[in-house]
Amino acid sequence: METSTTYRLLDGTECGMAVRSRIASATAEVLKARGRAPHLAAVLVGEDPASQTYVGSKVKACEEVGFRSTLLRRPATTTEEDLLALVDQLNNDSTVDGFIVQLPLPKHINEERITLAIAPGKDVDGFHPQNLGRMMLGLPGYLPATPNGIVELLRHYEVPTEGKHCVVVGRSNIVGTPMAILMSRNAYPGNCTVTIAHSRTRDLPAITHQADILIVAIGKPNFITADMVKEGAVVVDVGIHRVEDASRKRGYRICGDVEFERVAPKCAWITPVPGGVGPMTVTSLLLNTLKAARS
Ligand code: GUN
């Protein structure tokens, strides 16, 4: 079969910079009006290297747009009670506009209990059931960072979505499920016919092959191969993995859930990894924090 090689990149770094420059202007206005900048606090429990990287990039992004940020580190041995007490303290700290608790948490801490304890008005990750419920009903609230970042990316590159078949691979509470809801909303980007595929889906390649827009958040390196993708598709890769690579000086390389080299030539648009969805997740967190500071 003939394949096109003229794919275009959904570049999260470029798009993130454009959105962040608008956030920086709005921050200057907030500063003038309120006398202080938007303030994001991030809680990091334990030493997970990936989580440290993610939180580090969130803090750095805050600095770049002129926000205040506070990183609260706790050891992996922190108890659930201690963490709940910290959440309570942040809920009641009027100098903090919004905060996040980086996931995953150590096994002895119940993530659901922590998420539920965060005041919905400060839940800039958009993980609280109240915010997820509001999204579901189309009411104002905080949208979850990764799905909203993907929506912003599609908007920035003016990717047509109306009437398209969007297949979301993965049904997590923080990415796949909210993503499916956003793509089916009566809005732009949105108005898609959406299918959610997951680990129990029968004949996954037959489903993904129907996708005009394929959003992959399954958490498995190079899981989507070229035979699973339709010619001309838009592919969004949420995965980010370190895979061993002896040919690299650092001993590993970064890849996504999509086998980029083989899939890209079939695509109209595709996100790179890194530099695709990741920077947009951070940008979307900044947008939510700005919203919190204005409310
Ligand atoms: N872990 C993976 N993605 C996220 C995210 O968007 N927010 C938080 N708090 N933890 C995560």
Side-chain angles (χ1 to χ4, degrees):
M1 199 203 302
E2 231 178 85
T3 55
S4 85
T5 49
T6 54
Y7 66 87
R8 283 176 290 179
L9 283 182
L10 292 165
D11 184 335
T13 306
E14 179 188 79
C15 172
M17 271 164 52
V19 178
R20 287 178 206 193
S21 100
R22 295 202 291 274
I23 296 173
S25 311
T27 300
E29 279 166 32
V30 169
L31 189 57
K32 220 190 297 169
R34 291 200 322 171
R36 62 185 180 86
H39 181 191
L40 173 75
V43 179
L44 176 60
V45 182
E47 312 282 329
D48 178 60
S51 291
Q52 293 190 54
T53 307
Y54 298 147
V55 171
S57 58
K58 290 170 185 179
V59 168
K60 185 164 161 269
C62 282
E63 282 164 18
E64 283 167 10
V65 296
F67 287 7
R68 179 178 166 202
S69 67
T70 302
L71 173 58
L72 297 151
R73 298 197 68 150
R74 293 294 180 270
T77 50
T78 298
T79 65
E80 189 173 294
E81 298 314 314
D82 284 344
L83 192 55
L84 285 169
L86 179 58
V87 166
D88 191 51
Q89 186 190 317
L90 291 167
N91 283 342
N92 291 299
D93 183 340
S94 60
T95 69
V96 171
D97 295 299
F99 67 97
I100 63 161
V101 177
Q102 186 66 26
L103 304 178
L105 289 168
K107 293 276 177 286
H108 65 276
I109 299 177
N110 182 336
E111 285 183 359
E112 196 178 296
R113 243 188 119 194
I114 302 300
T115 303
L116 276 167
I118 298 173
K122 291 196 176 186
D123 168 40
V124 286
D125 255 333
F127 292 172
H128 190 282
Q130 186 169 314
N131 282 316
L132 288 169
R134 295 182 76 85
M135 173 194 67
M136 170 89 200
L137 298 171
L139 297 171
Y142 298 114
L143 297 173
T146 299
N148 190 45
I150 293 168
V151 164
E152 291 297 330
L153 193 57
L154 297 172
R155 188 200 317 280
H156 180 82
Y157 289 102
E158 300 178 358
V159 174
T161 60
E162 186 169 317
K164 305 286 185 190
H165 187 185
C166 174
V167 175
V168 179
V169 184
R171 57 178 158 186
S172 71
N173 290 339
I174 67 174
V175 184
T177 299
M179 191 75 242
I181 292 166
L182 292 179
M183 294 306 284
S184 65
R185 288 193 307 185
N186 184 2
Y188 175 76
N191 277 317
C192 288
T193 304
V194 178
T195 299
I196 303 186
H198 45 72
S199 55
R200 308 293 170 93
T201 294
R202 227 181 295 155
D203 198 0
L204 180 66
I207 306 285
T208 55
H209 216 272
Q210 290 171 34
D212 302 309
I213 300 172
L214 180 62
I215 302 177
V216 191
I218 196 80
K220 294 185 183 156
N222 297 319
F223 181 76
I224 298 290
T225 48
D227 56 303
M228 298 169 80
V229 177
K230 181 166 79 171
E231 193 72 30
V234 176
V235 174
V236 176
D237 187 352
V238 180
I240 180 148
H241 312 277
R242 280 183 184 187
V243 292
E244 271 186 42
D245 186 342
S247 74
R248 305 285 171 106
K249 214 160 101 189
R250 57 187 180 180
Y252 67 88
R253 71 192 144 80
I254 302 290
C255 76
D257 289 352
V258 177
E259 199 177 33
F260 184 91
E261 293 302 331
R262 300 238 168 91
V263 170
K266 294 186 84 174
C267 296
W269 293 95
I270 185 168
T271 55
V273 175
V277 172
M280 292 311 299
T281 297
V282 179
T283 302
S284 181
L285 179 66
L286 298 175
L287 283 170
N288 278 348
T289 306
L290 177 65
K291 193 179 208 178
R294 282 167 154 172
S295 63

